[in-house]
Structures are given as structure tokens and as C-alpha cells.
Amino acid sequence: MSTDWIDWTPVEPTTTFTPRALAELLDGGQAFGWWPQPDGSWLGRWTDRVAALRLGDHGMLQWCAPAPLAAALQTELPGYLGLSDVRQTAALDALPWRSDPHLATCLTVYPGLRILRQPFGETLLAFLCSATKQIVQIKQMLALLATRHGTPLPHPLPPACNPLGYKCTHRLPTWAQLAAVPESELRDCLLGFRARYIAGTAAYLAAHPGWLEATAALPYTEAKARLLTLPGVGEKIADCVALFGLGHLEAFPVDTWMLKAMARRYGLADWRPAQVAQFGRTHFGAGAGLAQQFLFAYERAAGQPRG
DNA sequence: TACCAGGTGGAGT
DNA sequence: ACTCCACATGGT
């Protein structure tokens, strides 16, 4: 029943991280399907993929995976991690860090941090769960949804060196699967008032075949406008889904942490979210979403002091 | 115990 | 257009 995993392999293109930056990339509020392991590695799953990551000598990022998935992951993993996206490299350099000392600090504290490129549908589900919830709780909701309503993963078992958590046994449910789940059973997954939104979105998507694919083909402004028509998707969640699920680097999600960051670091106290979003797009430009992720990471760490 | 968490939608001004 | 508030639930 156990599946062999391949040996640890460098991620190409070779990239170095600090442990803090890798933790922020995998578990800092973009993705909710990565779990730290006792040996310091990370175990994650998205769609039917399962992989482990760790830092080798000199902070070089390495991966391994179940052997049957290895060929696919060798191709897909750099894209998922945002490491093979030349747009991000260019966008990062084009950010105004030369004239913005706070941004420069944030970039220095999280070397290697990027925007993940996650599956659109899963990203939409994750951020519909995210409203006024802490990251640890969003992970718990999604783990319950996967275990109770998702399909078992084809290769769920761990390598001996990476004891697999119970959380990695099933895929997240698809939107088609969610459409068949009674709202009461969604509430049982700790979704609270978000259950209504998820049920409503699932029903809408079931009634509009191809809606996700058509939205994914649109540029940022049009894609966001369509996302805003879904129940439970407002400005912030639409921008998160556009950024993390569609790769629109100009999206600038404004949450409570971004309000704090812009108030404390940029003097924008008492600005409304829409105004902060306008400032962010203007000040940071085409890579505003990338800048936002560094600011978000820095501010959250400042509010919760630890190594 | 309060207050907060990667907010949104609807009602009332 | 803007302001207020219900919505569920666990963390700190």
C-alpha cells in the first residue's frame, strides 16, 4: 500500500531561501495546504499532487514526491512555487524599493518569497473560507472539507523520513462535489456563515459550466469583475483569487494587516480600504501584489513577535 | 474576558 | 455615496 518516494532533488531553477522566507511562502497566507514536519521539511498537497520541500546546504531548496508523481512535479513544481515565472523576477526589480526604504526592508527579510501560482478553483474555495479567520483556522476548515468531501489522494503515503499528517489524505473537493453537499454539512466543517457563500458559489458554478475556465482566460480587470459577482466574493477576496490563483500580479488585496501596514509605515492612518488599494496600485505599480505579500509578511511578524 | 482574525452583504442614512 | 452591523467560531 505504501508508495516509494524519490530522493531529495534540487528545485530548478536552483533557489535559496531562509527558513523564515520558505515558511512564509508555503504557510504565510497564500496557500493553506502545507504542513511543517518534525524534521524541518514541509509536506503539501494541491489538486492530486503531494510533495515535500526542505532546505539543504546553504539554504538550497530541495523537493521530493511519490515516484509516480515525480515526472509531473519536476515540470510543475517551479511554476507552482512561482520560481520559473520571469514576470515575477521583472516585477520584483521594477518595484520602487530603491526609493521606498520600508519595502526594501521587507524584501531583505524574506529573500525568495514569491507569489504562488495555485489552481484557480482551489484558490477560490480557500479564500471564500478566509473571511475574518486566522490562517491556522482556514487550514483546519479546508482540511475538514477535504477529508469529508474530497476524493482520496492517489499517493497519500509518506516517505519514512516524513511522517504524513492526517491532513494530506484527500484532495480538496471540486466545485462540482461541493454543489452536492448540503449547506448543513458545510457548516459542520467549521465554515460558519461562510457556508452560505460557498454553497451559493457552488450552485452558481454548477449552473454556469465553463465559468471558471472563461474567467481564467481574462485579463485582471475583467476577471476581477466576474469574481465580484459570486456570493461571498468582495474586493479583497477577488484580489486574492486573482493574485494567487490567476497570477495577476497587479492585484493588491487589502485586508486588516494591509490597513495596519499602510497606516504604520506609510502614514495612511484611517484610510478606507478602497483608498489604500488605490494608493497601493499607484505606488507599487504592475507588481503591487508582489509588494503586498512582502508587506503582509513583515507586518504580521511584527504584530506577532517571534524568531 | 475582551478583542481579533487575509470580509461581505444588506439595511438604513 | 457612506456607515453600521449581523454573520460563526477559535486564537491569543
Side-chain angles (χ1 to χ4, degrees), chain A residues 66-199:
Chain A
L69 294 178
L73 282 174
Q74 179 156 17
T75 302
E76 297 170 2
L77 192 58
Y80 172 88
L81 294 172
L83 301 178
S84 58
D85 183 355
V86 294
R87 295 177 316 133
Q88 289 205 42
T89 308
L92 202 56
D93 187 64
L95 288 175
W97 49 270
R98 296 171 184 82
S99 58
D100 181 338
H102 179 62
L103 176 61
T105 298
C106 296
L107 295 177
T108 302
V109 174
Y110 296 98
L113 180 59
R114 293 291 182 274
I115 300 299
L116 295 175
R117 180 61 184 273
Q118 303 177 73
F120 183 32
E122 292 193 347
T123 308
L124 176 60
L125 175 60
F127 283 92
L128 275 169
C129 292
S130 72
T132 61
K133 277 297 178 188
Q134 297 179 136
I135 290 166
V136 60
Q137 249 187 314
I138 300 165
K139 291 174 73 171
Q140 182 61 25
M141 293 179 200
L142 291 166
L144 278 171
L145 281 170
T147 302
R148 296 184 182 179
H149 303 294
T151 304
L153 288 164
H155 307 291
L157 298 181
C161 63
N162 276 311
L164 186 63
Y166 70 95
K167 300 170 177 106
C168 282
T169 57
H170 292 67
R171 297 177 57 146
L172 288 173
T174 64
W175 281 105
Q177 288 172 321
L178 287 167
V181 178
E183 187 180 319
S184 61
E185 291 187 28
L186 296 178
R187 284 184 182 264
D188 291 342
C189 296
L190 310 181
L191 295 184
F193 62 81
R194 303 156 198 81
R196 179 198 308 254
Y197 297 148
I198 289 169

Side-chain angles (χ1 to χ4, degrees), chain A residues 30 154 170 210 235 275 300:
Chain A
Q30 298 191 55
H170 292 67
E235 286 285 328
Q275 296 178 303
R300 225 163 50 89

Side-chain angles (χ1 to χ4, degrees), chain A residues 20 300-301 304-307:
Chain A
R20 176 167 58 183
R300 225 163 50 89
Q304 193 115 63
R306 66 185 160 79

Side-chain angles (χ1 to χ4, degrees), chain A residues 248-300:
Chain A
H248 293 308
L249 300 179
E250 65 268 55
F252 189 80
V254 176
D255 72 334
T256 58
W257 290 108
M258 205 43 45
L259 289 175
K260 288 176 191 172
M262 298 311 253
R264 290 186 61 186
R265 316 296 175 182
Y266 294 83
L268 308 187
D270 299 322
W271 282 39
R272 315 196 60 92
Q275 296 178 303
V276 168
Q278 176 60 37
F279 174 89
R281 286 189 294 267
T282 303
H283 180 66
F284 297 114
L290 199 44
Q292 175 271 161
Q293 199 57 31
F294 284 88
L295 296 181
F296 176 85
Y298 186 93
E299 209 61 37
R300 225 163 50 89

